[in-house]
Amino acid sequence: MSQLSFRSFFVQWLGPVNAYPEYPWRLHALILAPLFAIVVSTCLMHGFWGEGPRLHYEALRFAHDSLTPFFRVISRYADKVLHAIYACIFLYAFWKQEKEGQGFALRYALGSLCFALLLTQLLKGCFGLPRPGNPLPPIPFSMQSAYCSFPSGHTVTIITAALPLALWFRKIWAAVVLSAGIALMGYSRMWLGAHHPVDILAGMAVGSLAARFIAVKRSA
């Protein structure tokens, strides 16, 4: 397929590359603010990496062990709920023959593949940084789970899904609920001892790039 025909195919089915010319970065920042505040406070009090934050969250798990099952559920299933919402958007738009909704769902599928899967896994492999409790040095390209800490894939995935949805629905309640979901997912990864704070920050950066690509400004 030539470059021209590929571009025509992309625009026809997914819309223009920049489907949100006046992207609301202020709202973007507000939605991510709760998780950012949690991670920064952890960094300031216990460090951005290593034994400080690991021991802090280990102590929290010991003191409040009843919360751990809740955070496991968040970690495992929160993003899957959002996947289901995208599927519903696509099916509804397909039924109503609305190109805009179909394109939005397909943009999410493509953005999730490129950013939440390919780019994130590439970064994990290249850095090879150890998860909490595993020793240095890094082991690049080993692809062992214990050395695939940076960035947090769960954080990338939830932001990639939640932020475009918040902008798509254009409702305050949706932005609040999705912001809380992002914060809970990022916090759950630290609570469960799966990631360092810096992993969450990197996941926020990669997820933000994905969200900017996926976001669509709905017609009135």
Side-chain angles (χ1 to χ4, degrees):
M1 185 179 290
S2 68
Q3 181 179 358
L4 181 60
S5 60
F6 177 80
R7 181 176 180 181
S8 300
F9 175 83
F10 189 94
V11 171
Q12 179 182 358
W13 289 102
L14 304 178
V17 173
N18 182 9
Y20 209 136
E22 299 174 355
Y23 188 78
W25 285 108
R26 182 175 297 179
L27 179 57
H28 180 120
L30 286 173
I31 291 170
L32 293 184
L35 178 56
F36 184 76
I38 291 169
V39 178
V40 169
S41 64
T42 299
C43 292
L44 292 175
M45 291 187 292
H46 307 286
F48 66 92
W49 191 90
E51 286 296 284
R54 185 188 74 80
L55 292 173
H56 168 66
Y57 284 105
E58 186 178 80
L60 284 177
R61 287 196 303 275
F62 180 78
H64 307 283
D65 62 318
S66 61
L67 291 176
T68 298
F70 168 74
F71 285 119
R72 284 204 184 101
V73 170
I74 293 294
S75 181
R76 291 176 183 173
Y77 300 112
D79 58 333
K80 295 174 178 61
V81 172
L82 300 187
H83 297 337
I85 293 174
Y86 278 99
C88 290
I89 290 173
F90 178 81
L91 292 173
Y92 180 80
F94 184 80
W95 179 49
K96 291 289 189 178
Q97 297 184 340
E98 294 177 353
K99 281 282 188 181
E100 191 176 46
Q102 295 177 50
F104 174 58
L106 291 173
R107 287 176 77 92
Y108 169 68
L110 179 61
S112 186
L113 173 66
C114 293
F115 291 91
L117 181 60
L118 297 179
L119 179 58
T120 301
Q121 293 305 314
L122 177 63
L123 292 172
K124 283 177 176 287
C126 288
F127 286 100
L129 291 177
R131 293 186 187 272
N134 292 286
L136 288 169
I139 308 178
F141 304 110
S142 71
M143 298 313 295
Q144 300 176 42
S145 177
Y147 286 85
C148 287
S149 187
F150 181 92
S152 165
H154 283 73
T155 304
V156 173
T157 300
I158 196 72
I159 293 173
T160 297
L163 255 170
L165 277 179
L167 301 179
W168 176 261
F169 287 126
R170 296 186 297 189
K171 301 291 185 181
I172 293 177
W173 66 264
V176 171
V177 169
L178 291 165
S179 177
I182 291 171
L184 285 170
M185 176 64 89
Y187 188 73
S188 75
R189 301 307 289 161
M190 295 187 293
W191 178 282
L192 296 171
H195 284 289
H196 307 279
V198 70
D199 303 335
I200 307 301
L201 291 174
M204 292 175 69
V206 176
S208 291
L209 289 175
R212 177 64 184 91
F213 166 78
I214 293 166
V216 171
K217 185 175 184 179
R218 294 178 71 178
S219 56

